[in-house]
């Protein structure tokens, strides 16, 4: 005897459970909030297109149901009533205006004095320039200057320029603090500079453990407010991609580090005591599949995990203020931003896409390379700052051999303990194709470089041949990120351009629009279009959840020239 699917379901359904709900009548008899009276010809019962979404996005609309058509429509105007007569139609809901300014978390915007919940990431070596930070601040967003890899005098000059341009108008700006495990003194000096120059916003990146420098920055200036709350004068944005790292920043600063900082005169007793009542960072950037340092994790899997950890630790420590989670990595289209906000992101942080902007610190030919990239034109390769630890970064692979050559150097470093151990034919190939100079000359250049900034590296290399080998190989990897900055066309095949899949997604989105040519990509137009598009996509989702017919094309916002 044959059985139907319904027979099988009923046979396996426990008697104690309620019957399976039938949703087939949901659109036939929807719940109503009242009735709408007006000119029925004004009601749009047709599938909602992108033009309708943009037209109605900033206006209040009514969503009404037509029983005869069994369709939901949208209309502006009319009268809402409790009376159900022949002229009235059931009112499902009213939707207020939706602006890009309303995406993200309102308390985050208020805390930092922002119009948009949108940040520009601090791309290293000044790729995230002062021009980029100033432009983003002027439209109501915030930019972080890419201080990593720059000399202190360069960072100091950048701080002066941003401060002069923005402070008098009360517009926020920030700088990067990158973890430097091989050069801990660099972190200390940078924090000393930030405190002396009163830098109020700092993005901490690549940290795998807490250091005295990052704790000192976050806790300096803590005070008790008039109502008893702990008031911060500085805001640390900690970029994380792992739970164990997130836990460090979501917890109060460790007692041992606070004790050391007090003993060294870097914090006072009151600051140390107050630091035990608040998380080290009240802004976390959940970094997914991004350019540069990354764990390549998908945002939709990573974000809820970090959010859950935040909620548990907030209850455990009894925090009085919300901890804002931002989203970064893979954000190159309006749909991606809308999805991040829908996950609960208080703000978004954009990196790879901004690197192709006119205000970025890379050369014009580098921006052209990025503008041709597809989502798969990326690869992982050895990192200069954490080379010996085996840490890798994500870079552009199209039009450059740097990823392949960087990985080859790391494999040779693992295999050999000294420069002299490398076979003669391998060494000759390296000198001809990768370094384009003898490795002895590379070492001389390396000695000259470190003698001016960190003599301890050379002293260690004299004792440890393998460290000397690492420094020689780091010469190539370090310079490969310098050549795109200066537009060294002869070394274009060795350009190290930090890049995630968002770059290719962005290029696909802007194809055929005014943002397709690299020379048109201002950071202002990039930001405004991503935000406008994210709001439009969010509105399309709202309409769909109320039963309107919303075709896939309605989710495809096209770039257009926008004004602030």
């Amino acid at each position: 005897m044959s059985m139907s699917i319904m027979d099988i379901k009923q046979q396996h359904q426990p008697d104690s459970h309620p019957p399976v709900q039938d949703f087939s009548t949901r659109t036939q008899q929807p719940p109503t909030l009242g009735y709408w009276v007006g000119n029925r010809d004004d009601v749009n019962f047709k599938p909602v297109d992108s033009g309708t979404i943009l037209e109605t996005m900033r206006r209040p609309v009514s969503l009404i149901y037509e029983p005869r058509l069994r369709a939901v429509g949208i209309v502006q105007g009319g009268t809402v009533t409790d009376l159900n007569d022949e002229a009235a139609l059931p009112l499902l809901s009213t939707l207020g205006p939706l602006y890009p300014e309303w995406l993200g978390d309102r308390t985050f915007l208020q805390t930092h004095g922002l119009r948009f919940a949108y940040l520009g990431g601090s791309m290293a070596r000044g790729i995230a320039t002062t021009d980029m930070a100033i432009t983003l601040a002027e439209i109501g967003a915030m930019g972080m200057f890419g201080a990593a890899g720059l000399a202190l005098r360069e960072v100091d000059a950048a701080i002066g320029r941003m401060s002069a341009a923005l402070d008098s108008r009360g517009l926020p700006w920030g700088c990067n603090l990158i973890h430097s495990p091989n050069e801990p003194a660099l972190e200390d000096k940078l924090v000393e500079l930030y405190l002396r120059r009163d830098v109020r916003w700092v993005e901490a990146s690549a940290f795998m453990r807490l250091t005295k420098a990052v704790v000192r920055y976050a806790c300096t200036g803590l005070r008790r407010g008039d109502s008893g709350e702990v008031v911060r004068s500085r805001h640390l944005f900690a970029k994380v991609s792992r739970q164990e790292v997130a836990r460090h920043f979501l917890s109060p600063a460790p007692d041992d580090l606070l004790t050391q900082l007090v003993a060294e005169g870097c914090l006072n007793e009151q600051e140390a005591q107050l630091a035990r009542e608040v998380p080290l960072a009240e802004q976390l950037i959940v970094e997914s599949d991004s350019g540069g340092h990354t764990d390549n994790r998908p945002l939709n899997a990573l974000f809820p995990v970090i959010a859950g950890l935040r909620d548990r630790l907030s209850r455990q420590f009894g925090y009085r203020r919300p901890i804002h989670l931002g989203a970064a990595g893979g954000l190159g289209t309006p749909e991606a931003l809308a999805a991040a906000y829908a996950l609960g992101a208080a703000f978004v942080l954009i990196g790879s896409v901004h690197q192709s902007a006119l205000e970025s610190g890379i050369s014009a030919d580098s921006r052209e390379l990025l503008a041709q990239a597809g989502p798969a034109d990326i690869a992982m390769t050895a990192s200069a700052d954490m080379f010996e630890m085996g840490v890798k970064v994500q870079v552009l692979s199209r039009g450059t051999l740097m990823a392949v050559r960087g990985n080859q150097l790391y494999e040779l470093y693992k295999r050999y303990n000294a420069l002299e151990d490398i076979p003669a034919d391998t060494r000759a190939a390296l000198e001809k194709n990768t370094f384009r100079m003898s490795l002895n000359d590379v070492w001389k250049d390396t000695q000259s470089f470190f003698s001016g900034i960190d003599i301890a590296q050379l002293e260690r290399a004299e004792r440890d041949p393998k460290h000397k080998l690492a420094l020689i190989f780091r010469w190539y990897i370090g310079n490969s990120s310098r050549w795109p900055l200066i537009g060294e066309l002869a070394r274009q095949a060795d350009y190290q351009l930090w890049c995630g899949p968002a770059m290719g997604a962005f290029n696909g989105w802007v194809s055929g629009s005014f943002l397709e040519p690299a020379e048109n990509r201002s950071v202002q137009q990039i930001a405004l279009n991503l935000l406008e598009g994210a709001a439009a996509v969010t509105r399309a989702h709202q309409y769909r959840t109320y039963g309107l017919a919303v075709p896939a094309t309605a989710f495809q916002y096209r770039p257009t020239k926008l004004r602030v």
Side-chain angles (χ1 to χ4, degrees), residues 136-213:
L136 287 171
E138 288 176 336
I139 67 171
M142 180 163 59
M144 298 283 189
F145 175 72
L150 299 181
L152 287 177
R153 66 180 183 279
E154 295 175 288
V155 180
D156 192 18
I159 291 172
R161 185 167 187 269
M162 291 184 290
S163 177
L166 301 173
D167 287 354
S168 62
R169 292 181 281 170
L171 300 177
W173 52 271
C175 292
N176 177 238
L177 176 66
I178 194 168
H179 183 39
S180 305
N182 294 322
E183 302 167 81
L186 193 58
E187 284 183 42
D188 296 328
K189 292 176 182 177
L190 205 52
V191 166
E192 189 74 42
L193 173 63
Y194 290 165
L195 295 177
R196 177 167 54 84
R197 296 299 303 270
D198 197 24
V199 177
R200 300 294 184 92
W201 291 269
V202 161
E203 178 192 330
S205 59
F207 279 83
M208 294 176 286
R209 61 179 180 82
L210 297 183
T211 64
K212 287 192 296 182

Side-chain angles (χ1 to χ4, degrees), residues 123 126-134 144-146 162 359-362:
M123 294 173 287
I127 293 174
T129 61
T130 58
D131 284 343
M132 187 173 290
I134 291 169
M144 298 283 189
F145 175 72
M162 291 184 290
E359 293 87 351
S360 80
I362 60 175

Side-chain angles (χ1 to χ4, degrees), residues 92-129:
L92 301 184
S93 182
T94 57
L95 295 180
L98 176 61
Y99 296 88
E101 290 89 336
W102 294 358
L103 299 172
D105 189 288
R106 300 296 289 174
T107 62
F108 174 80
L109 297 175
Q110 293 163 2
T111 297
H112 304 286
L114 297 173
R115 176 184 175 189
F116 299 113
Y118 184 103
L119 271 64
S122 55
M123 294 173 287
R125 300 190 78 132
I127 293 174
T129 61

Side-chain angles (χ1 to χ4, degrees), residues 56 170 194 264 522:
T56 61
Y194 290 165
E264 295 169 4
S522 71

